[in-house]
Every structure is written in structure tokens, then in C-alpha cells.
Amino acid sequence: MEIKRMQLGMIQTNCYIFWDENTLDCAVVDPGDDGEQVAAFIQGRGLNPVAILLTHSHFDHILGIPGLRAQWPNLPVYCHPADVNPNETTTSLFGTTFPSVSSFGNVLPYQEGDTVPVGGLTVHVLHTPGHTPGGVVLQVEDALFTGDTLFEGSMGRTDLEGGSETQLLHSLKRLAQLPGDWRVFPGHEGSSTLERERTTNFCMLEAMRRG
């Protein structure tokens, strides 16, 4: 598996493209707000996109969907049902309204225990609420795409609508208890490893301490 990170938009959201080196099938995790740039990379590498995978539905993670759909109109978007806003728009921290996930159409639900094939790769879905009700972590081989659940040295904020510190700490404890080590690819800032976060991340340490 190959992984490309692209930092997009005003909040420098991490978009990830990962692909099967044999089939060249790829998936886009959280396309940020610049689908055209993501599409250009995919086309430049000769990849075949099969899915957009959302870790959650905040605006800075989803606004790139139309740019990708301009090239691949039938590209499915996967999102946890708890994060598919049935309204036409959602309001951001900046007082601006943005389209909700549901407004893009062809949104498929995935939740705890589901899998999504990407070529010869298998994406496993872990429901990790707290930052949002429908937040998920996506496990592919030895990689965890953690969205805004787990950051390098910290965790996602819980003061936005639908956030819960109790739930997020429970989700961090669950991740900490995964056996072995994993590469961690968060929704913002730098990458890490799960073992590093187990030993240095004060949020994860607090989650484990609470028992």
C-alpha cells in the first residue's frame, strides 16, 4: 500500500490518498476543500478512484467532494450515518453555511465492523465518537486514519455541536488497547505511531488512567 498526504485549505486538513500498488485502485480519505488538486494527483499517477472515505463530516473534510465528482460523477462517498446531516446546509465556526454530506448524493453508510474493498486492500471501520457522533477511524493494513479523533500529542476538540469529551476519551482508550503498533495518520498536523501516542499523548494517557 502506498499513501500520499495532501494538506488542504485554511485549516490545513490532511487528505490521504492510498492505493493498491498492484491494481492501482485508490481511495480518498477526507478530500479537504480542494478536490481538483486531489483529482490532479490521482490522474497524474494513473490511479483508479473507487471511494471517498470520510472520518467525519465537518466542512473542512468534505468540501473537496464536488471537485472529485466533477471527474468521477459516480464516485461513492462513505460516511457514518450519525454524521450524515439531513439538512441542506451546515454552519461552520466562521459563520458561513456549507453543504452537508447528504447534499452531495450517492452517500453510502458505513459503521462499526463494516469493511470497504479498495483493490486488494480492505478498509476496516471503527466507530470512534466524541469529536462528532459519527466519527470513525479507518484501519488499512498497519495504518490508522484517525481523522480528528486522535492527533499527534492531542485529540480533537469536543466543544462543537455533537461533541463529547467522555465519548472521545472512551474512543482513545479503545485505540490504545489495539494490540501491537500502528502508523497513525491524523486529520491535521503530523503523523505518528500508536505506541508513541500511548506513551506520550496526555489525552490518551488520561483515557487509559480513567479505566
Side-chain angles (χ1 to χ4, degrees):
M1 176 176 66
E2 292 286 337
I3 301 173
K4 169 68 175 180
R5 181 183 73 159
M6 306 178 77
Q7 291 185 298
L8 305 172
M10 68 177 74
I11 311 180
Q12 290 291 279
T13 300
N14 287 332
C15 165
Y16 299 98
I17 304 102
F18 68 86
W19 63 93
D20 181 333
E21 298 164 276
N22 295 316
T23 66
L24 298 184
D25 286 347
C26 74
V28 178
V29 178
D30 294 345
D33 67 355
D34 193 342
E36 292 81 4
Q37 185 176 341
V38 179
F41 174 84
I42 291 171
Q43 292 170 321
R45 294 297 296 264
L47 303 176
N48 173 46
V50 299
I52 298 170
L53 309 174
L54 300 180
T55 62
H56 64 292
S57 63
H58 281 160
F59 75 97
D60 57 310
H61 293 253
I62 71 170
L63 291 180
I65 292 172
L68 288 167
R69 285 274 181 79
Q71 297 297 325
W72 302 282
N74 297 318
L75 191 61
V77 174
Y78 288 83
C79 185
H80 192 281
D83 265 23
V84 179
N85 191 325
N87 300 318
E88 286 300 315
T89 60
T90 56
T91 302
S92 84
L93 291 172
F94 305 100
T96 303
T97 56
F98 294 109
S100 67
V101 172
S102 60
S103 70
F104 296 127
N106 195 19
V107 178
L108 303 179
Y110 61 7
Q111 47 198 321
E112 175 68 32
D114 286 346
T115 60
V116 180
V118 179
L121 305 171
T122 302
V123 180
H124 299 268
V125 180
L126 289 71
H127 184 208
T128 55
H131 180 65
T132 64
V136 299
V137 167
L138 304 171
Q139 180 258 311
V140 190
E141 294 192 334
D142 68 337
L144 296 173
F145 298 98
T146 59
D148 290 5
T149 296
L150 173 64
F151 296 143
E152 181 184 14
S154 64
M155 68 181 189
R157 60 190 299 175
T158 59
D159 59 334
L160 303 176
E161 184 177 356
S164 167
E165 180 178 329
T166 298
Q167 286 187 326
L168 189 52
L169 288 173
H170 185 270
S171 293
L172 290 183
K173 180 180 178 181
R174 180 189 180 190
L175 294 179
Q177 292 175 333
L178 292 175
D181 200 6
W182 304 76
R183 293 186 290 165
V184 172
F185 297 97
H188 298 276
E189 302 179 346
S191 59
S192 186
T193 67
L194 190 57
E195 184 58 28
R196 184 187 307 161
E197 299 309 304
R198 286 190 190 109
T199 56
T200 64
N201 185 321
F202 71 96
C203 299
M204 185 167 273
L205 289 168
E206 174 65 15
M208 292 186 287
R209 184 192 67 79
R210 292 193 182 190

